[in-house]
Amino acid sequence: MTVSRAPAPPARAHVDLLSELEPVVARELDRHLAAAQEWFPHQYVPWSGAQDFDGPLNGEPWHPGQSALTPAVRDALLVNLLTEDNLPSYHHEIVSRFGRDSAWGTWVNRWTAEEGRHSDALRGYLHAVRGLDPVELERARMTHVGNGYDSGQPTLAHALAYVTIQELATREAHRNAGQACGEPHGTRLMSRIAADENLHMIFYRAVCSDALDMAPDPMAAAFADVICEFRMPGHGIPGFRGRAARIATAGIYDVAVHRDRVLLPLLRRLCLMDRTDLGTAGEEARDRIGHHLEVLADRSRRLQKLRDHRQRPHNLPSVPTPEGSTTTEIRQGSDRSGP
């Protein structure tokens, strides 16, 4: 549903977004603190099912048969956890953009404290249920965190656009991975983490809404740049491309999720595609966004066709029928929709 908004004030030639958004950040910080719920990572880990690992404690070595999680879910949870592990780099990135002073600094510190719970809880869960090889996980963490993270966003407008999209994408990634876990402890934990990410997205979305009113063309251009070149913050994780492909094939996070559950709802809520106050640069940016959405829709359709093709039986005997068709062709044809 499109949210109606009052007409935006006339755009000015130059806007210092950092200073002019500070009252907005203070307002949204107060709202966030009122809405955020206290929770404790240790309460979401099924400790009663845990056992010692091999090493100094002489416990049981990990092997794949101990994990009840599917390979795609293991990939998703590993990517989600290692993404959360890189929090020191993310803190450096946003504090470099937003600063340590005023409400901006208070928000950055609060956000960092809340995000820190996610890796604590998720690692505890995976160790307790023996969901992943702990040695592989730790080695990947050392590599990923050791490499650091650079968002590459050139301006404050770009940084705001990126974190807004990224928080919503991360919410979907966590929630969908939890739903795919197939057991209640993982589902409960990932839903709890996703709730935090949702509140973070709401904060940034509200700030972006005011920023669009203050500087419509620069913000529209920033959104176009980020949308068309978007990469998840965990893209530097070892083996990310292969894991992302398996996660997408399983439907946990794919191009359809990114387009339909992240980009389209966000663009509707910000009314970005319906604004009447954009100049030439803003209109060009909006055209780029529209074209990219069409590209994503085409990729989504092709991915779904590939999934449908893989689900069809291909090893049936090709016995000729009286009509000249084979039983394999008849069976495959019955799986097609439409005329």
Side-chain angles (χ1 to χ4, degrees):
M1 180 180 68
T2 301
V3 179
S4 60
R5 294 174 53 83
R12 287 166 286 167
H14 173 74
V15 177
D16 182 351
L17 284 177
L18 190 66
S19 62
E20 299 209 27
L21 283 172
E22 194 276 330
V24 178
V25 172
R27 179 195 73 205
E28 292 304 313
L29 175 61
D30 288 342
R31 183 207 54 76
H32 175 84
L33 294 175
Q37 295 181 353
E38 184 180 48
W39 65 279
F40 303 97
H42 71 276
Q43 295 179 341
Y44 286 80
V45 177
W47 302 108
S48 60
Q51 63 180 119
D52 294 340
F53 287 99
D54 59 325
L57 299 179
N58 296 317
E60 177 73 17
W62 186 89
H63 59 82
Q66 295 170 342
S67 178
L69 304 173
T70 66
V73 171
R74 292 202 297 268
D75 279 324
L77 294 181
L78 182 143
V79 168
N80 290 359
L81 174 53
L82 294 183
T83 298
E84 298 287 357
D85 276 332
N86 227 359
L87 181 60
S89 281
Y90 307 147
H91 175 88
H92 175 75
E93 279 282 304
I94 61 175
V95 81
S96 298
R97 304 291 185 182
F98 302 159
R100 298 179 181 274
D101 301 324
S102 71
W104 283 107
T106 304
W107 162 254
V108 169
N109 291 335
R110 173 70 188 199
W111 174 86
T112 302
E114 292 183 0
E115 287 285 340
R117 294 183 295 205
H118 301 168
S119 58
D120 289 345
L122 185 48
R123 177 170 283 99
Y125 164 78
L126 288 171
H127 284 173
V129 303
R130 291 187 168 241
L132 288 171
D133 180 352
V135 174
E136 176 191 6
L137 184 60
E138 178 60 11
R139 287 173 175 167
R141 186 192 71 84
M142 289 294 292
T143 299
H144 184 51
V145 178
N147 289 336
Y149 173 77
D150 180 1
S151 70
Q153 305 305 328
T155 69
L156 176 64
H158 286 82
L160 287 172
Y162 180 82
V163 293
T164 306
I165 296 170
Q166 177 266 319
E167 292 285 2
L168 185 49
T170 305
R171 183 197 76 181
E172 289 297 307
H174 283 312
R175 185 178 67 181
N176 295 348
Q179 291 174 347
C181 276
E183 65 88 27
H185 301 301
T187 301
R188 184 182 305 113
L189 170 60
M190 301 310 289
S191 295
R192 177 60 263 179
I193 293 174
D196 275 4
E197 306 290 7
N198 189 59
L199 285 180
H200 299 161
M201 179 276 297
I202 290 173
F203 173 92
Y204 285 124
R205 187 182 65 192
V207 174
C208 279
S209 180
D210 279 68
L212 274 164
D213 288 346
M214 294 176 182
D217 274 19
M219 284 301 300
F223 266 104
D225 291 342
V226 170
I227 287 172
C228 294
E229 301 173 8
F230 184 80
R231 294 194 297 176
M232 292 291 271
H235 64 83
I237 290 171
F240 177 79
R241 292 188 65 180
R243 296 183 193 279
R246 293 189 290 271
I247 292 166
T249 299
I252 296 173
Y253 196 96
D254 59 13
V255 66
V257 172
H258 186 67
R259 179 183 185 273
D260 299 340
R261 301 187 195 173
V262 177
L263 296 181
L264 289 181
L266 182 60
L267 291 170
R268 282 196 296 266
R269 191 60 182 260
L270 292 174
C271 303
L272 184 52
M273 307 304 283
D274 302 316
R275 298 188 71 93
T276 59
D277 57 351
L278 297 178
T280 301
E283 293 286 359
E284 189 272 339
R286 186 157 57 189
D287 289 343
R288 281 196 289 143
I289 293 172
H291 175 72
H292 188 69
L293 293 175
E294 293 175 359
V295 170
L296 294 181
D298 181 64
R299 289 175 55 193
S300 178
R301 287 190 291 267
R302 286 188 280 117
L303 177 59
Q304 188 56 50
K305 287 182 180 179
L306 179 61
R307 285 189 184 131
D308 293 343
H309 178 72
R310 288 178 174 175
Q311 291 172 359
R312 294 171 185 163
H314 296 285
N315 298 319
L316 296 176
S318 298
V319 180
T321 67
E323 292 79 11
S325 298
T326 65
T327 54
T328 302
E329 292 169 340
I330 293 173
R331 178 66 178 274
Q332 291 179 347
S334 67
D335 289 341
R336 300 188 183 100
S337 60

